[in-house]
Amino acid sequence: MEGRMTHHSNNTTIINSTSCIYTSKSLFPISPTAKSPLNRPSISVKRPSFTFLSRLPSEFGGSPLVRMEDPFTASLSSSITVSPRKNLTTSNHLRHVESMAHLPSGAGRITRLNALILGEALASEEDDLVFPSEDFSSQSHVSSPQKYLEMYQRSVHDPSGFWSDIASEFYWREKWGQQVYHENFDVRKGKIKIEWFKGGMTNICYNCLDRNIESGKGDKTAIYWEGNEPGLDSSMTYNQLLARVCQLANYLKDVGVHKGDAVVIYLPMLMELPIAMLACARIGAIHSVVFAGFSAESLAQRIIDCRPKVVITCNAVRRGSKIIYLKEIVDSALLESAQKGIVTDVCLTYENDSAMKKEMTKWTKGRDIWWQDVILKYPVTCDVEWVDAEDPLFLLYTSGSTGKPKGVLHTTGGYMVYTATTFKYAFDYKPTDIYWCTADCGWITGHSYVTYGPLLNGATVVVFEGAPNYPDVGRCWDIVDKYKVSIFYTAPTLVRSLMREGDEHVSRYSRKSLRVLGSVGEPINPSAWRWFFNVIGDARCPISDTWWQTETGGFMITPLPGAWPQKPGSATFPFFGVQPVIVDEKGVEIEGECSGYLCVKSSWPGAFRTLHGDHERYETTYFSAFPGYYFSGDGCSRDKDGYYWLTGRVDDVINVSGHRIGTAEVESALVSHPQCAEAAVVGVEHEVKGQGIYAFVTLVEGVPYSDDLRKSLVMVVRNQIGAFAAPDKIHWAPGLPKTRSGKIMRRILRKIASRQLDELGDTSTLADPTVVDQLIALADC
């Protein structure tokens, strides 16, 4: 899509340099010498009617799309002449990205070739492309594919220059050396090593707070805090936030925390959580945030591994109508770790009096300290500990279902530059935006896109303590209206759960402040994408459907709002500096339209550097499967236009009679059924096929279970994917086992499907543990 879009009174959009005409309801390339359809005799056609082609012209690949059905279209098609085919292939990593400069053609099974302009119409099942409006694009940071390509090409051809220019926008006490980055991605050539801005001295807390205050943002609101109960709220300016951070930082130094020491943070989404993260960063300590939903055993594992000087927690938290006694969990974890030789001397405890009073809290004298009793006594200024760009910033442990958790280690400089940059461009951030990410800081999303990325950009962030459906399912939109949220970033799981409740709980709120939506955590199926777009965003807000991981630190493949058309369900194209490749089982890169294993070649600034205390495991897990590449562990498809489609974890691929079927693909087909609200698919052993497909299905509220509905759901999958992908078992699910952050606990579903009920393991992180009993009770229904 080259050239600038210009609008005409006949509702036609012309893309000048490619001589292509798009209408809001049709999409077809026309040669400059072809007779314009606008000059043809008018024909009366009942709506809805779409102009579409049976085959793309040769300059766009000549791919068959649909059977010709409309005689007017057939006549029009015969009058079109096209120029000779253009070579869209280039060398190395740009070969797929550059194809997006031309007219996208669609992906997968397409019933109509159709385009949609933001704000003009609702996205339907027939809409394959959703274009940004000219007004949105003209004001965005990256306003066209050409601008993106210009920046992307420089980022991969001259990564040193590209990232140095961006890094220079931040404060460095000392600049890095001549070598901007150093890497080895190939285990055959020695130890895996990634370094960015080595020798540069900086501090991420200083860049989040002091730098913004010095630029005049001291009185700007940094955080709006919304409590679990409506009406319980607070806010904090950048000046106030810095003062609170400095007080805690001074206390930590006073109790013996030094540069390089670990601090474990086990807090809910209070303002004290980002305060604690920033305080650690200010003094060069390494924070390890543990999601305040993990069990005592899980917390103890992390304490034993990182050996913290201090554990920071609170006495309790309300999540919806439920009270969670966090201090008791910490007490058990500290006891368990002490029994294994790891003793923590200080447990700093915040009194969260909306959930539990101080006098009701169990206490260990000499170890436990009330936050409110000590922190406010410390000075509101604190000297900055300047650290090397490659000094550790934080540890974040993955929640593997078996074995020792992996302590992902991120360092300071590259992570700082990368999270700030991805936040700015992927959300098209403007200084007037109010930003809300629903993630918990116990996960990487909360690190990169609740705390560091937004604050590095001087943004105003909403931090929400409660549950998104409490006291009712309209809570999210009540918060959006209350704070005039303009950027809303959430998980597909939450989107699907809200879909199940219907549109009324959304439509009664304004949501007019919204301008950009975002999705994170797992592939979002097209039907959920369209609901998110149509209902939440009123068909006017682009969706940044981001793909990335704890290990990557920030977005890797993501739409840039305003830059190019979106395809519902696709993460679209790589971010600056990211070179994704799809390889086959032998590690050979696959060209063009394909499916395979998603890898990345060459490093990016936000990449993790090692696994804490286990570099061998780091190399084995991420770099040994396909030497020369970082292996994401995800499956991926790339369509003929270069758009990337994530298909889920490779270990979520089911091999049915030799057919490799992504669970996300089957789930997407199931939820396209009008009576299916949500689905989760796992593989089970099958004596004939090797593996069978086992689907847990949550129905729309009020829909009864029936054998006819079961058959109907199976037929949807057969029709959309094929008979080989038809589920062997539909298991009715009143709800799915999810963590409080919305992540589906698939290992529990696998155990239920396999009837290994004595191996369910730890269910303490579930938002509603009773769901497991309900699923077991329905196993044979």
Side-chain angles (χ1 to χ4, degrees):
M1 188 174 64
E2 296 175 331
R4 185 174 180 81
M5 290 186 177
T6 55
H7 287 276
H8 295 259
S9 58
N10 56 24
N11 198 33
T12 300
T13 305
I14 297 180
I15 317 257
N16 297 323
S17 65
T18 58
S19 300
C20 296
I21 295 179
Y22 294 75
T23 71
S24 61
K25 285 295 179 185
S26 65
L27 173 58
F28 45 93
I30 297 181
S31 161
T33 60
K35 184 176 180 180
S36 169
L38 301 177
N39 296 326
R40 293 178 62 83
S42 61
I43 297 178
S44 175
V45 182
K46 292 183 179 180
R47 297 182 69 88
S49 178
F50 305 86
T51 302
F52 56 95
L53 303 179
S54 64
R55 179 174 292 273
L56 284 178
S58 61
E59 64 176 312
F60 298 105
S63 301
L65 293 177
V66 292
R67 181 168 54 86
M68 194 70 68
E69 295 177 351
D70 182 9
F72 168 66
T73 305
S75 174
L76 172 63
S77 179
S78 65
S79 71
I80 296 177
T81 60
V82 299
S83 58
R85 180 174 181 173
K86 299 175 183 177
N87 183 3
L88 303 185
T89 302
T90 63
S91 61
N92 63 56
H93 41 268
L94 294 180
R95 62 189 178 276
H96 305 299
V97 176
E98 288 188 350
S99 69
M100 65 168 287
H102 301 269
L103 176 63
S105 61
R109 185 179 300 173
I110 296 176
T111 55
R112 285 170 165 73
L113 191 59
N114 187 33
L116 175 74
I117 305 291
L118 285 176
E120 292 191 3
L122 297 178
S124 70
E125 294 298 327
E126 289 78 26
D127 290 317
D128 305 306
L129 297 168
V130 179
F131 285 80
S133 67
E134 182 181 14
D135 182 59
F136 190 103
S137 289
S138 65
Q139 299 179 59
S140 61
H141 293 307
V142 181
S143 57
S144 67
Q146 294 77 20
K147 177 64 175 175
Y148 165 76
L149 285 169
E150 175 188 324
M151 296 177 70
Y152 182 80
Q153 286 171 342
R154 187 186 176 210
S155 75
V156 296
H157 289 316
D158 178 25
S160 294
F162 179 86
W163 289 111
S164 288
D165 286 351
I166 293 175
S168 296
E169 298 173 10
F170 299 93
Y171 180 82
W172 299 80
R173 190 74 163 190
E174 295 178 21
K175 194 172 180 181
W176 52 92
Q178 276 192 323
Q179 189 175 27
V180 177
Y181 73 101
H182 173 74
E183 67 180 34
N184 174 37
F185 260 36
D186 195 335
V187 291
R188 298 167 298 188
K189 296 179 180 179
K191 182 179 179 180
I192 297 297
K193 190 173 185 179
I194 302 169
E195 292 179 341
W196 282 83
F197 312 113
K198 178 75 172 176
M201 302 296 290
T202 189
N203 184 283
I204 196 169
C205 175
Y206 183 92
N207 278 284
C208 284
L209 303 180
D210 307 65
R211 181 176 61 96
N212 282 313
I213 291 169
E214 290 164 7
S215 68
K217 297 185 179 76
D219 292 329
K220 180 179 180 178
T221 299
I223 298 174
Y224 284 120
W225 179 76
E226 177 78 5
N228 181 65
E229 299 295 333
L232 184 63
D233 54 37
S234 185
S235 65
M236 194 175 291
T237 65
Y238 272 86
N239 281 327
Q240 292 168 332
L241 180 57
L242 176 59
R244 294 280 298 275
V245 166
C246 286
Q247 286 180 313
L248 178 57
N250 284 321
Y251 168 79
L252 292 175
K253 289 198 297 183
D254 204 25
V255 296
V257 177
H258 303 293
K259 177 183 175 182
D261 289 337
V263 174
V264 164
I265 303 170
Y266 188 73
L267 282 169
M269 289 296 282
L270 304 172
M271 277 197 283
E272 284 67 27
L273 178 44
I275 287 170
M277 295 166 68
L278 291 163
C280 291
R282 192 169 191 84
I283 62 174
I286 305 167
H287 62 71
S288 181
V289 182
V290 180
F291 173 59
F294 274 120
S295 66
E297 180 182 356
S298 297
L299 177 58
Q301 286 179 319
R302 288 148 176 80
I303 291 171
I304 292 167
D305 192 63
C306 72
R307 303 180 178 221
K309 285 284 187 71
V310 175
V311 172
I312 302 176
T313 189
C314 73
N315 53 353
V317 63
R318 283 187 181 273
R319 180 91 176 168
S321 58
K322 183 180 180 181
I323 298 179
I324 304 166
Y325 300 98
L326 298 182
K327 178 62 166 51
E328 293 182 8
I329 295 172
V330 172
D331 288 342
S332 297
L334 290 175
L335 176 61
E336 183 177 339
S337 59
Q339 289 171 345
K340 295 183 179 179
I342 306 301
V343 177
T344 303
D345 294 328
V346 178
C347 179
L348 182 64
T349 306
Y350 183 83
E351 183 194 4
N352 188 17
D353 58 8
S354 65
M356 185 181 190
K357 298 301 180 183
K358 185 184 287 189
E359 56 270 17
M360 301 297 293
T361 307
K362 294 180 181 178
W363 208 245
T364 301
K365 289 185 178 180
R367 184 197 69 187
D368 298 345
I369 306 292
W370 285 114
W371 176 303
Q372 286 91 333
D373 288 350
V374 295
I375 301 303
L376 298 180
K377 298 176 182 178
Y378 281 85
V380 295
T381 60
C382 177
D383 291 340
V384 172
E385 181 74 38
W386 302 106
V387 300
D388 189 277
E390 283 301 319
D391 281 340
L393 174 62
F394 66 85
L395 281 171
L396 187 56
Y397 288 86
T398 59
S399 53
S401 58
T402 60
K404 177 184 175 183
K406 296 179 293 186
V408 171
L409 178 70
H410 281 284
T411 54
T412 303
Y415 175 84
M416 174 180 76
V417 172
Y418 196 70
T419 52
T421 307
T422 49
F423 175 83
K424 173 183 175 180
Y425 286 105
F427 295 123
D428 190 45
Y429 170 74
K430 304 292 195 302
T432 54
D433 280 320
I434 306 297
Y435 168 79
W436 180 23
C437 171
T438 63
D440 191 287
C441 287
W443 311 112
I444 186 62
T445 305
H447 284 60
S448 299
Y449 301 112
V450 173
T451 303
Y452 291 119
L455 295 180
L456 285 164
N457 281 276
T460 297
V461 183
V462 174
V463 173
F464 178 43
E465 177 194 30
N469 59 353
Y470 178 81
D472 59 58
V473 292
R475 184 68 186 278
C476 285
W477 323 123
D478 178 62
I479 293 172
V480 165
D481 284 356
K482 178 177 178 177
Y483 297 106
K484 303 294 185 286
V485 172
S486 54
I487 303 173
F488 178 68
Y489 189 38
T490 193
T493 298
L494 177 59
V495 173
R496 289 191 292 267
S497 67
L498 294 176
M499 278 177 65
R500 184 187 183 193
E501 303 295 336
D503 297 355
E504 188 276 334
H505 71 89
V506 180
S507 59
R508 70 173 183 258
Y509 295 95
S510 167
R511 295 161 288 107
K512 292 189 181 300
S513 59
L514 291 172
R515 68 177 196 89
V516 175
L517 303 175
S519 171
V520 59
E522 60 184 296
I524 183 170
N525 51 292
S527 61
W529 193 102
R530 291 185 178 95
W531 187 84
F532 199 24
F533 176 81
N534 290 333
V535 178
I536 304 304
D538 288 330
R540 56 183 174 77
C541 302
I543 298 174
S544 288
D545 178 10
T546 61
W547 175 78
W548 60 299
Q549 300 174 314
T550 300
E551 295 86 348
T552 70
F555 305 146
M556 299 291 280
I557 304 177
T558 178
L560 300 184
W564 56 70
Q566 294 184 256
K567 297 183 180 184
S570 170
T572 71
F573 297 101
F575 191 72
F576 305 128
V578 177
Q579 300 178 50
V581 295
I582 297 176
V583 302
D584 63 17
E585 288 160 340
K586 296 180 180 178
V588 177
E589 290 187 29
I590 312 174
E591 302 288 333
E593 187 175 4
C594 62
S595 294
Y597 301 95
L598 180 60
C599 295
V600 182
K601 61 180 179 182
S602 192
S603 69
W604 60 99
F608 73 133
R609 303 309 197 239
T610 190
L611 294 177
H612 177 58
D614 200 348
H615 197 74
E616 182 180 353
R617 187 182 185 189
Y618 169 73
E619 294 181 338
T620 301
T621 303
Y622 301 99
F623 296 94
S624 295
F626 303 108
Y629 303 97
Y630 165 78
F631 174 42
S632 69
D634 282 336
C636 184
S637 295
R638 182 174 53 228
D639 67 26
K640 63 180 68 67
D641 304 317
Y643 281 65
Y644 287 84
W645 302 75
L646 276 298
T647 56
R649 301 295 294 171
V650 171
D651 57 13
D652 287 337
V653 172
I654 304 172
N655 196 326
V656 179
S657 301
H659 297 285
R660 292 179 61 80
I661 304 166
T663 56
E665 188 177 10
V666 181
E667 290 166 1
S668 181
L670 287 167
V671 297
S672 70
H673 191 289
Q675 292 178 310
C676 176
E678 192 168 20
V681 170
V682 297
V684 293
E685 289 186 10
H686 192 286
E687 61 181 12
V688 176
K689 297 185 289 186
Q691 280 189 296
I693 297 175
Y694 196 109
F696 293 85
V697 172
T698 302
L699 300 178
V700 171
E701 194 70 36
V703 174
Y705 305 143
S706 70
D707 286 338
D708 286 342
L709 181 52
R710 258 200 188 99
K711 294 174 184 176
S712 177
L713 287 163
V714 171
M715 286 305 299
V716 165
V717 179
R718 290 174 65 97
N719 292 336
Q720 291 194 21
I721 304 175
F724 63 89
D728 296 279
K729 169 74 174 178
I730 299 288
H731 186 136
W732 301 126
L736 295 173
K738 300 174 187 176
T739 66
R740 282 184 285 278
S741 66
K743 179 181 178 182
I744 297 173
M745 298 285 279
R746 294 177 189 273
R747 69 169 173 82
I748 294 177
L749 296 179
R750 292 189 189 98
K751 296 300 182 183
I752 294 174
S754 303
R755 302 301 189 265
Q756 297 171 314
L757 304 182
D758 57 341
E759 300 177 18
L760 290 175
D762 183 11
T763 60
S764 65
T765 61
L766 296 182
D768 181 9
T770 64
V771 165
V772 175
D773 294 331
Q774 293 172 2
L775 291 175
I776 293 171
L778 289 167
D780 298 316
C781 293

